[in-house]
Amino acid sequence: MAYQTLRQEYLQVPPVTRAYTTACVLTTAAVQLELITPFQLYFNPELIFKHFQIWRLITNYLFFGPVGFNFLFNMIFLYRYCRMLEEGSFRGRTADFVFMFLFGGLLMTLFGLFVNLVFLGQAFTIMLVYIWSRRNPYVRMNFFGLLIFQAPFLPWVLMGFSLLLGNSIIVDLLGIAVGHIYFFLEDVFPNQPGGGRLLRTPSVLKAIFDTPEDDPNYNPLPEERPGGFAWGEGQRLGG
């Protein structure tokens, strides 16, 4: 019975979020079991372009470090905000969501050539958080029960938290920068005088991922309902 319930809950997670988070968990499990090592996964331009270890372009987004606080913290944020985007502003537009992944990943990889980062998964998570926060500007957030603020401040609060923990903020800045570029090109520039859509999802992605009919049984997440969502209430991280 417990297995069936868990399986049902797992299958209710939207496909892109399910695939990405599952890949991250399995990659971490493989490292913990010493089936692979982080040295086989990290971002290394020389190994990628000179030794054709192309898989590193993907695997560096799948490893968040050994199981511990940092891993759990990142996975919670990755799962939550990836799912809220997929079930919120990208609902019924899976191809556009996949294209956002590809665009963000490509841009982050290009930036990664100039910064000393070997794993980009955390920066990718911050990118998802940034895009969600800009598309939900009136949602009130509750962080650790100490700070209450509007959603657009969340990426900066996370950056401040990283700074307090003694971590480098380069990761956060990279995620914010890529998230802002996507948000500007997708949400801001098309609405400016003389602006237009520069990001267009390839038709091949639409043919693969988009479904013609919407799910009539969809139950919206709390933050999509009137009145928004008091993040942290009943699910307060660290509270």
Side-chain angles (χ1 to χ4, degrees):
M1 180 67 69
Y3 168 76
Q4 292 295 335
T5 302
L6 184 62
R7 181 176 182 273
Q8 184 178 9
E9 290 294 327
Y10 176 74
L11 293 177
Q12 286 180 351
V13 177
V16 178
T17 301
R18 183 170 67 238
Y20 186 34
T21 53
T22 299
C24 293
V25 171
L26 291 179
T27 300
T28 301
V31 172
Q32 290 292 116
L33 295 173
E34 299 184 352
L35 300 176
I36 56 177
T37 71
F39 296 103
Q40 297 171 291
L41 307 174
Y42 75 99
F43 181 72
N44 186 315
E46 182 176 354
L47 293 177
I48 293 172
F49 299 112
K50 291 186 178 181
H51 297 274
F52 305 106
Q53 296 183 9
I54 306 299
W55 66 84
R56 294 179 183 271
L57 291 171
I58 298 175
T59 57
N60 82 89
Y61 288 98
L62 303 180
F63 184 65
F64 290 80
V67 175
F69 175 78
N70 189 62
F71 170 76
L72 294 176
F73 187 84
N74 278 285
M75 290 307 300
I76 288 171
F77 272 80
L78 169 62
Y79 170 79
R80 178 168 178 78
Y81 290 96
C82 188
R83 180 171 184 172
M84 286 198 297
L85 276 174
E86 189 169 2
E87 293 186 339
S89 60
F90 285 98
R91 174 163 174 74
R93 299 192 299 128
T94 302
D96 293 336
F97 194 51
V98 172
F99 182 66
M100 184 206 70
F101 263 61
L102 296 176
F103 175 81
L106 175 62
L107 200 58
M108 205 166 288
T109 298
L110 292 176
F111 287 157
L113 297 174
F114 304 100
V115 295
N116 188 26
L117 292 175
V118 294
F119 290 102
L120 298 173
Q122 185 175 340
F124 194 83
T125 298
I126 295 296
M127 180 197 77
L128 296 175
V129 171
Y130 183 89
I131 295 171
W132 177 87
S133 70
R134 294 302 300 268
R135 289 185 169 182
N136 297 270
Y138 302 111
V139 175
R140 291 173 62 82
M141 315 295 289
N142 185 337
F143 191 74
F144 284 94
L146 299 174
L147 296 175
I148 298 177
F149 51 89
Q150 300 295 105
F153 291 101
L154 178 59
W156 304 101
V157 170
L158 293 178
M159 187 177 71
F161 185 66
S162 295
L163 193 61
L164 288 176
L165 293 178
N167 299 327
S168 171
I169 62 172
I170 298 297
V171 173
D172 301 83
L173 290 174
L174 177 59
I176 289 172
V178 174
H180 183 72
I181 290 172
Y182 177 85
F183 175 76
F184 177 81
L185 294 177
E186 181 70 11
D187 293 36
V188 178
F189 185 68
N191 298 316
Q192 299 298 311
R197 289 182 62 88
L198 299 179
L199 299 180
R200 296 187 180 276
T201 303
S203 57
V204 62
L205 291 180
K206 289 185 175 293
I208 294 173
F209 293 104
D210 280 354
T211 54
E213 294 185 1
D214 200 15
D215 181 7
N217 297 318
Y218 174 63
N219 185 27
L221 293 174
E223 66 274 7
E224 297 175 51
R225 299 169 188 157
F229 180 73
W231 187 86
E233 184 178 332
Q235 303 181 43
R236 184 173 302 153
L237 186 61

